[in-house]
Amino acid sequence: MNIEEFKKIFLEEISKNEIQVKENQIKQFYNYMIGIIEWNTKINVTAITDEKMFIVKHFIDSLTINKYVESSNSLIDIGTGAGFPGIPLKIINPNTKITLVDSINKKLNIIRDLSSKINLEKLEIIHSRAEDLAQKKEYREMYDIATTRAVSNISTIVEYMLPFVKVNGLAICMKGPNFKEELDDAQKAIEILGGKIEKIESLNVGEELERNIIIIRKVKKTPNKYPRGQSKPLKEPIR
Ligand code: SAM
């Protein structure tokens, strides 16, 4: 796909989200996509290699939460993988300080390579488990927003996310269909960790993707003992 074909599809899809995109940002999106698809021939970083699907399922889907990010100064994307939703949000919001975290460094090295090629600034890329990083005082309760897409069940991810969020900030969980039972199971975890469910948005992205966005407001500080170490958020989620 050349950049003109990319631009046509991208602009058509993005117009549904009411997001303004500049010419240089379209180039950044295009070059990021081409870079990931090229890396994917050497290391498996995404299952999505069809370009139209890539635009919809990676870029447009990531930008469904843009309206929450526009008015924020800082965001941490936990379990970012190949940079989703963090990189699309960074391209659209160049002045927001964005931190990407993942426990697997090989994908982060790809993001490091591509983000410098497309000149992204105010972007920090950290190789760590979320639960270790959140216990460091320079990261704890320092962010307006924490995001996760496709990382784990809701009880687990709120323990990864809420410790990073400032009181009054948001934890934004991007979930697929069938999230309701998980959310019921996570009520206690959300409360203990200082969160309160503010709203749930359900929408379709492209023709087949059902996206549910769970917005959790941080209403009080997270007790110091959370997140717990030794993979406890995953193995023994708060119930
Ligand atoms: N968010 C990306 C996306 O939607 O394309 C990647 C999703 S991938 C299925 C889940 C990612 O979460 C993996 O890259 C994994 O290494 C990372 N992950 C899982 N648990 C984590 C933890 N405790 N701390 C940091 N990263 C974690």
Side-chain angles (χ1 to χ4, degrees):
M1 183 181 280
N2 64 37
I3 190 157
E4 287 311 317
E5 290 163 326
F6 174 87
K7 185 174 167 182
K8 187 166 172 287
I9 299 172
F10 185 81
L11 289 180
E12 202 175 298
E13 294 293 336
I14 202 81
S15 65
K16 300 170 196 161
N17 293 22
E18 295 173 16
I19 295 174
Q20 303 295 321
V21 201
K22 300 194 176 102
E23 203 61 40
N24 75 312
Q25 292 170 325
I26 294 173
K27 277 194 198 135
Q28 287 175 313
F29 278 110
Y30 177 72
N31 288 328
Y32 195 75
M33 179 185 81
I34 295 295
I36 292 280
I37 291 174
E38 207 171 295
W39 266 108
N40 219 40
T41 59
K42 295 173 229 158
I43 300 174
N44 184 20
V45 276
T46 175
I48 301 168
T49 49
D50 173 80
E51 288 145 324
K52 167 101 198 272
M53 296 252 275
F54 196 108
I55 294 173
V56 173
K57 292 200 170 173
H58 282 328
F59 292 157
I60 306 299
D61 185 36
S62 296
L63 294 172
T64 53
I65 60 171
N66 188 56
K67 61 174 183 257
Y68 301 101
V69 182
E70 277 170 345
S71 51
S72 305
N73 293 319
S74 56
L75 176 146
I76 184 161
D77 183 28
I78 298 159
T80 192
F84 304 110
I87 290 287
L89 293 168
K90 177 74 226 177
I91 293 175
I92 291 288
N93 302 282
N95 293 323
T96 305
K97 179 191 147 217
I98 293 194
T99 303
L100 308 179
V101 184
D102 205 286
S103 53
I104 299 181
N105 203 30
K106 68 174 188 189
K107 292 186 193 170
L108 297 179
N109 282 334
I110 295 172
I111 308 179
R112 287 187 185 100
D113 172 53
L114 297 177
S115 62
S116 81
K117 285 185 179 144
I118 64 170
N119 300 318
L120 294 181
E121 289 167 5
K122 287 172 85 176
L123 178 69
E124 192 178 15
I125 300 169
I126 303 179
H127 175 217
S128 173
R129 290 195 66 84
E131 54 273 47
D132 299 334
L133 194 68
Q135 289 296 1
K136 298 197 173 150
K137 75 171 189 325
E138 57 282 28
Y139 292 96
R140 194 173 178 90
E141 301 193 319
M142 287 296 183
Y143 291 88
D144 295 329
I145 294 184
T147 56
T148 50
R149 186 182 81 158
V151 174
S152 193
N153 69 75
I154 300 171
S155 311
T156 302
I157 55 178
V158 289
E159 191 167 347
Y160 294 158
M161 300 165 87
L162 281 165
F164 287 108
V165 179
K166 294 176 189 170
V167 172
N168 268 326
L170 297 177
I172 302 180
C173 315
M174 301 178 72
K175 300 296 292 183
N178 313 323
F179 69 94
K180 290 203 174 85
E181 201 181 321
E182 258 185 53
L183 189 58
D184 286 344
D185 289 345
Q187 296 295 331
K188 191 169 168 200
I190 294 169
E191 200 205 318
I192 287 179
L193 295 161
K196 189 171 185 291
I197 297 171
E198 187 155 295
K199 69 170 164 173
I200 299 166
E201 254 188 88
S202 300
L203 47 127
N204 290 321
V205 181
E207 274 150 31
E208 22 175 314
L209 183 68
E210 179 187 331
R211 174 58 64 217
N212 293 290
I213 303 167
I214 301 164
I215 306 288
I216 299 169
R217 175 79 58 189
K218 180 139 166 183
V219 290
K220 57 178 194 292
K221 283 183 83 121
T222 302
N224 287 341
K225 71 180 246 202
Y226 300 107
R228 296 160 297 157
Q230 296 159 341
S231 299
K232 282 201 178 147
L234 179 64
K235 291 185 192 149
E236 297 166 28
I238 302 166
R239 286 282 188 263

